Amino acid sequence: MPRPSTPARLSALLLCLATSSALAAPAVLLFPTLGRPDSVTLQGRVLADTPHGSTALTRNLRRLATANWKGARVELSFLGVSAHVTSGADGNFQVTLPAPADKPFPVGNHPAQASVPGASTQAPVEIIPDSAPFLVVSDFDDTLAISEVTQPDKLVTNALLRDADTQQVVSGMAGFYGCLGADATRVPAFALVSGSPVQFAPRVGAFLSRHGFPSGFGLYLRDLGPGTLSDYKQPIIRGLLQRFPHPVVLVGDSGEKDPEVYAQIRDEFPGRVRAIYIRDAGNSANATRFKDMLLFKDASTAAEHAARQGFARSECVSAAFAPVAPTQARDLP
């Protein structure tokens, strides 16, 4: 009898974990987000059980398999402004908190809180000033993290058998992002729009922190379901560009549809998209996919281009991507 494929074996384990009732403590996820001085929109999900696990595999599968809590009363607060909402059928919740008329939310990074009976959490909110030079909208899989999306078995391995500590980072991307902004006192804001599932938000946030990416990323991940198999990025990016008036730099990879999605956004928002950077992750033979975009293999190429265009600090790029001197051989005594 043929041996089941890796995805089939993991699907069976996922079903087993989904029917397990060993865990009983609820969990609330609150997604890191971007806001403006006049208001903040908080989003998250309530899980019926906390997705514990002794290995990366069990933790990741339980994140995906744990039942959602419909009808949970969620209390949210941010800088003294609070609200109560009820989670929907998928456990999701969303609320917009307006700043007091006489006291705008201060620019910078501040924690928001969310709690349900039996669980509470915090997540960072980055309040963006209108003076921010631009907004970076970034993909995650095969742009910042090695996910190998175009190879199903390797994708399953990276998605389920790795975690924030063991998934490989794309070399140089943290340095590239850290140098963006022509002035170190006026740096861009970052929004990560990814096909990674919303349940992986804590893992994605921990990955960015571990590998030295700039702080303050808003995380806008995919709510898995039949309606999000394709065209799930465009509504999120449109919403960001409607909410934030800043120029935009888009960064993705060639493995799937980032070039086509970004070209569509560029057409829909004339004059807003200042640059598109696409990491070569395969499927790059058709040059027409990358019209008026920079296709790059090494992050240093993107960083140097950004410096020439005034999107990055030249001295920072030179330091971040300085050649490593070869180790000098020593004569043995």
Side-chain angles (χ1 to χ4, degrees):
M1 178 180 294
R3 186 180 181 184
S5 66
T6 298
R9 296 197 305 274
L10 291 175
S11 295
L13 181 55
L14 182 63
L15 179 62
C16 176
L17 289 171
T19 59
S20 171
S21 58
L23 302 173
V28 56
L29 304 179
L30 184 62
F31 308 139
T33 193
L34 304 179
R36 297 187 63 186
D38 63 347
S39 66
V40 166
T41 297
L42 302 178
Q43 300 179 73
R45 173 172 291 199
V46 187
L47 306 178
D49 299 325
T50 300
H52 292 298
S54 59
T55 66
L57 175 61
T58 55
R59 287 192 296 274
N60 288 325
L61 289 177
R62 282 179 172 141
R63 284 171 180 146
L64 297 173
T66 297
N68 302 314
W69 183 356
K70 175 184 177 181
R73 179 175 170 81
V74 187
E75 180 177 351
L76 296 131
S77 63
F78 179 68
L79 295 181
V81 181
S82 61
H84 292 85
V85 296
T86 300
S87 61
D90 53 6
N92 286 347
F93 60 85
Q94 177 176 313
V95 67
T96 297
L97 301 179
D102 60 344
K103 191 178 180 182
F105 294 137
V107 169
N109 196 279
H110 312 280
Q113 295 80 31
S115 62
V116 298
S120 63
T121 193
Q122 290 188 343
V125 175
E126 187 75 19
I127 301 297
I128 305 172
D130 288 343
S131 61
F134 53 89
L135 171 65
V136 178
V137 176
S138 174
D139 180 50
F140 180 70
D141 295 299
D142 290 323
T143 300
L144 307 184
I146 301 296
S147 302
E148 300 176 290
V149 170
T150 61
Q151 303 180 61
D153 274 6
K154 291 183 177 180
L155 170 61
V156 169
T157 296
N158 285 304
L160 297 181
L161 301 182
R162 308 274 190 246
D163 57 21
D165 294 329
T166 58
Q167 188 170 13
Q168 287 183 282
V169 67
V170 175
S171 178
M173 291 302 290
F176 171 31
Y177 281 23
C179 289
L180 288 173
D183 183 341
T185 64
R186 294 178 61 249
V187 295
F190 293 89
L192 191 148
V193 179
S194 170
S196 292
V198 294
Q199 295 92 331
F200 279 15
R203 168 180 164 176
V204 171
F207 176 93
L208 296 174
S209 177
R210 174 180 175 81
H211 291 288
F213 284 90
S215 61
F217 268 81
L219 300 186
Y220 304 89
L221 308 186
R222 178 163 47 163
D223 196 351
L224 295 179
T228 64
L229 295 178
S230 62
D231 298 331
Y232 56 89
K233 286 189 176 182
Q234 293 94 320
I236 299 174
I237 299 174
R238 287 187 194 108
L240 288 167
L241 269 64
Q242 290 162 358
R243 174 77 173 119
F244 300 98
H246 308 79
V248 182
V249 171
L250 305 174
V251 188
D253 67 87
S254 62
E256 292 193 295
K257 297 296 184 181
D258 284 346
E260 290 76 15
V261 170
Y262 291 169
Q264 181 180 346
I265 293 297
R266 181 173 57 192
D267 290 343
E268 291 182 10
F269 293 86
R272 291 287 303 281
V273 178
R274 298 297 175 84
I276 298 177
Y277 294 98
I278 300 293
R279 176 179 176 260
D280 190 345
N283 293 337
S284 56
N286 181 4
T288 62
R289 297 183 67 207
F290 314 109
K291 185 177 186 301
D292 298 324
M293 305 177 189
L294 180 72
L295 180 68
F296 67 93
K297 287 186 178 294
D298 297 319
S300 60
T301 303
E304 290 162 2
H305 177 275
R308 291 194 299 272
Q309 298 299 313
F311 302 134
R313 303 180 299 282
S314 296
E315 68 282 3
C316 178
V317 171
S318 297
F321 297 96
V324 178
T327 301
Q328 298 294 321
R330 294 186 302 169
D331 294 331
L332 295 175

